[in-house]
Amino acid sequence: MRAVLQRVTSARVIVEREMVGEIGSGLVVLLGIAGDDTTQDVKYLVEKIVGLRLFDDADGRMNLSVRDVDGALLIVSQFTLYGDVRRGRRPSWSEAAPPEVAEPLYESFVAEARRFVERVATGSFRRMMKVELVNDGPVTILLESRKLF
């Protein structure tokens, strides 16, 4: 499982001109799910994300987590994080989980995140989305639930 985290002052997801998810200050989580991911990957990555100290304390040091600042999460499924472009010019999606595997893990990820963070918004699984955000810093972090070879 891969995630790109972006610290934001605001973010929203629009599907077919309708806003489906919106947050103020917090983290946008772009989530990619591999074919062999499990609920163990979900638990590890959620706990890592909600505990990361990516927000500034009173001294301007990144010392606070999204929970510490009462921030929100916007979780967006993004299979393209598993695009392999090592050969040719067109990405291969062979490592990405098929929708019937990815969707239950995505839903599990969202449910697990809601155990730790009060405000969790989402995109729409398997839909074309417009993601708008104001990156704060900018702060962008890449995470994986395990080392991939």
Side-chain angles (χ1 to χ4, degrees), residues 6-30 72-78 106 120-124 128-135:
Q6 294 184 300
R7 186 178 74 181
V8 299
T9 57
S10 64
R12 66 185 186 160
V13 176
I14 298 169
V15 175
E16 296 179 9
R17 297 190 200 121
E18 179 185 342
M19 186 173 51
V20 297
E22 181 177 34
I23 64 169
S25 179
L27 296 173
V28 170
V29 179
L30 304 175
L73 297 176
L74 176 58
I75 304 169
V76 178
S77 174
Q78 188 161 354
Y106 172 76
V120 176
T122 66
S124 291
M128 289 297 294
M129 297 174 272
K130 306 283 187 210
V131 180
E132 299 175 358
L133 59 92
V134 178
N135 197 321

Side-chain angles (χ1 to χ4, degrees), residues 32-129:
I33 300 170
D36 60 349
D37 283 337
T38 69
T39 56
Q40 291 299 99
D41 296 285
V42 167
K43 289 177 189 260
Y44 169 80
L45 210 51
V46 168
E47 289 178 13
K48 187 71 162 178
I49 289 168
V50 300
L52 283 175
R53 299 184 302 173
L54 300 176
F55 294 85
D56 294 346
D57 63 15
D59 296 325
R61 294 177 55 195
M62 279 198 257
N63 235 356
L64 303 172
S65 72
V66 68
R67 289 186 298 178
D68 296 331
V69 299
D70 195 28
L73 297 176
L74 176 58
I75 304 169
V76 178
S77 174
Q78 188 161 354
F79 79 94
T80 60
L81 290 178
Y82 278 96
D84 184 350
V85 294
R86 291 177 288 185
R87 297 180 191 204
R89 294 188 179 156
R90 182 178 307 154
S92 166
W93 313 113
S94 62
E95 291 184 31
E100 60 274 8
V101 172
E103 188 168 17
L105 287 171
Y106 172 76
E107 295 298 335
S108 177
F109 188 95
V110 171
E112 185 73 8
R114 286 186 170 134
R115 290 184 52 232
F116 296 98
V117 176
E118 185 177 331
R119 291 181 320 263
V120 176
T122 66
S124 291
F125 189 86
R126 210 170 177 195
R127 305 273 309 272
M128 289 297 294
M129 297 174 272

